[in-house]
Amino acid sequence: MKGLTIIGSGSAVPNQVLSNQDLSSIVDTSDEWIESRTGMKERYVSSAQESLAQLAAKAAINAISMANLTPEDIDLIILATSTPDDLFGSACQVQNIIGAKRAVAFDLTAACSGFVFALVTASQFIRQGVYRNVLVIGADVLSRWVNWEDRTTCVLFADGAGAVVCQSHETKDNFLGFELCSDGTQNSSLNLAYMGTTHNLLENISVGSGSYQTINMKGKEVYRFAVEKVPEVIEKALHRSNLTIEDIDWLILHQANQRIIDSVATRLGLDKQKVISNISKYGNTSAASIPLALDEAIRQSRIKPGDIIAISGFGAGLTWGAAIFCWGGSN
Ligand code: UT7
């Protein structure tokens, strides 16, 4: 079995900034409500001309460059997204944009848990010795799928991309443990469902034809689920890593709500100084939120090589999961 190191990170956001003040002129809300209930102040949203693949590619290039690799060194690209430009997947578009000619590329859908699920998937290919350099991207453009008349969701979701480069190693293993969970019985708490209308082909044969609805979320239910399940899944991942909460240098949760982040940290008994949050600037960017926060903290030199990081994602599916790793090629 090979070991895994995480040797590069990158991120990207679109150009347009949408503030709480801006939102209060679109729906009946206020800066005070949004900030006190969620911790969000502003977020980035893509224009109709900007693509998910371009955003993901920018984050990818930044990560590959930090890893001192070239796109041609990449063997596998996993793009965690729920908002591809193409329903058949956008990973191959990213492969083409960055020129990762040798890479196999595919999409992975696990909503806001997507980055954690993709990183764990990458680790399996690396451990088995199948691929050496794996690019894991979390990217979403949820602004396309928000109902801009629904104040309970439109103030929350935003756009962004983050990426890491994982590399196999003969002796070092910096991917310490993980735990993933799904519960389809709660699917209707948070979904973006297909909207089919009947198209009659022949007298006795019909097919569905249609598009998708907008994001539907029962906020309170998802909130309760998150504060209960996230500490649990982190503790399981720590157990699998033979670590305890005292060993963790940094906690990065999916950035859905500052109150969820605070509550999870308190339940885990973790010092607030060790919790990374950038929700005030970016809002909820779904699969991008963890790698965006990770990359920002690495580039600010808050996270240093050798630091042990716990990440946890949660969201639609419902899905949730946690992974524990050590940042950098050295340990
Ligand atoms: O990324 C996937 C995972 N997603 C999450 O983890 C989200 C989890 N849920 C949450 O973060 C929170 O439930 C929300 C931020 C979505 C909502 O916060 P809340 O404290 O649970 O508010 P609420 O839904 O209980 O609404 C409280 C009040 C309601 O008014 P009434 O019924 O008390 O009169 C809402 O109508 O706030 C009202 N409200 C708003 N008011 C101003 C809801 N949205 C807004 C708004 N502006 N944008």
Side-chain angles (χ1 to χ4, degrees), residues 23-93:
L23 282 163
S24 69
S25 62
I26 301 168
V27 287
D28 180 16
T29 191
S30 64
D31 177 39
E32 196 280 326
W33 191 95
I34 302 171
E35 197 183 344
S36 63
R37 298 285 178 136
T38 70
M40 298 171 190
K41 291 186 188 163
E42 55 188 28
R43 71 283 293 140
Y44 294 84
V45 288
S46 300
S47 68
Q49 289 71 39
E50 288 173 297
S51 74
L52 180 282
Q54 288 287 357
L55 201 57
K58 260 193 208 166
I61 285 165
N62 292 338
I64 292 168
S65 150
M66 189 192 284
N68 280 321
L69 296 177
T70 68
E72 287 178 15
D73 295 321
I74 302 296
D75 302 300
L76 169 67
I77 299 170
I78 306 178
L79 172 64
T81 188
S82 307
T83 53
D85 298 320
D86 183 328
L87 206 49
F88 291 147
S90 284
C92 296
Q93 294 168 318

Side-chain angles (χ1 to χ4, degrees), residues 22-326:
D22 295 330
L23 282 163
S24 69
S25 62
I26 301 168
V27 287
D28 180 16
T29 191
S30 64
D31 177 39
E32 196 280 326
W33 191 95
I34 302 171
E35 197 183 344
S36 63
R37 298 285 178 136
T38 70
M40 298 171 190
K41 291 186 188 163
E42 55 188 28
R43 71 283 293 140
Y44 294 84
V45 288
S46 300
S47 68
Q49 289 71 39
E50 288 173 297
S51 74
L52 180 282
Q54 288 287 357
L55 201 57
K58 260 193 208 166
I61 285 165
N62 292 338
I64 292 168
S65 150
M66 189 192 284
N68 280 321
L69 296 177
T70 68
E72 287 178 15
D73 295 321
I74 302 296
D75 302 300
L76 169 67
I77 299 170
I78 306 178
L79 172 64
T81 188
S82 307
T83 53
D85 298 320
D86 183 328
L87 206 49
F88 291 147
S90 284
C92 296
Q93 294 168 318
V94 175
Q95 180 226 29
N96 182 34
I97 296 168
I98 68 174
K101 296 193 185 100
R102 293 179 42 252
V104 176
F106 63 85
D107 288 34
L108 181 152
T109 307
C112 302
S113 311
F115 180 76
V116 177
F117 278 52
L119 187 62
V120 170
T121 305
S123 76
Q124 306 306 304
F125 283 107
I126 287 181
R127 288 222 188 294
Q128 294 303 320
V130 181
Y131 297 120
R132 177 166 160 75
N133 294 314
V134 182
L135 176 65
V136 178
I137 311 169
D140 267 309
V141 183
L142 282 180
S143 64
R144 288 179 184 166
W145 298 102
V146 154
N147 173 356
W148 289 100
E149 290 175 1
D150 175 11
R151 68 175 183 172
T152 69
T153 51
C154 78
V155 302
L156 306 172
F157 296 106
D159 308 338
V164 294
V165 174
C166 304
Q167 188 169 66
S168 68
H169 200 283
E170 294 302 326
T171 51
K172 269 178 236 155
D173 191 8
N174 288 350
F175 194 69
L176 308 174
F178 70 87
E179 179 79 16
L180 302 179
C181 306
S182 304
D183 180 4
T185 65
Q186 294 191 68
N187 184 259
S188 62
S189 301
L190 175 52
N191 61 2
L192 211 178
Y194 165 70
M195 184 164 53
T197 51
T198 303
H199 177 69
N200 292 313
L201 291 180
L202 296 168
E203 208 178 323
N204 57 348
I205 299 179
S206 69
V207 290
S209 147
S211 55
Y212 285 83
Q213 296 173 9
T214 50
I215 295 172
N216 159 60
M217 181 169 75
K218 299 185 182 103
K220 278 232 180 302
E221 282 179 18
V222 180
Y223 188 98
R224 277 195 292 269
F225 142 78
V227 297
E228 183 194 335
K229 297 294 185 189
V230 173
E232 229 173 75
V233 82
I234 292 171
E235 272 164 358
K236 283 185 182 157
L238 281 168
H239 179 71
R240 289 183 188 279
S241 311
N242 287 319
L243 296 175
T244 66
I245 196 71
E246 283 75 37
D247 298 310
I248 295 301
D249 294 304
W250 302 104
L251 174 69
I252 307 180
L253 297 188
H254 166 48
Q255 308 281 297
N257 189 323
Q258 188 60 45
R259 290 186 294 140
I260 295 177
I261 297 172
D262 293 342
S263 162
V264 170
T266 304
R267 282 181 189 221
L268 289 169
L270 190 73
D271 182 351
K272 284 227 166 93
Q273 305 291 325
K274 295 183 170 183
V275 181
I276 288 175
S277 167
N278 62 6
I279 194 168
S280 66
K281 279 200 298 180
Y282 299 97
N284 181 342
T285 57
S286 191
S289 84
I290 293 171
L292 247 173
L294 175 72
D295 182 52
E296 196 170 69
I298 288 169
R299 286 173 194 269
Q300 290 165 346
S301 300
R302 282 182 83 192
I303 293 180
K304 298 192 173 59
D307 284 356
I308 295 178
I309 303 161
I311 61 171
S312 179
F314 53 90
L318 296 180
T319 54
W320 64 107
I324 319 288
F325 61 87
C326 177

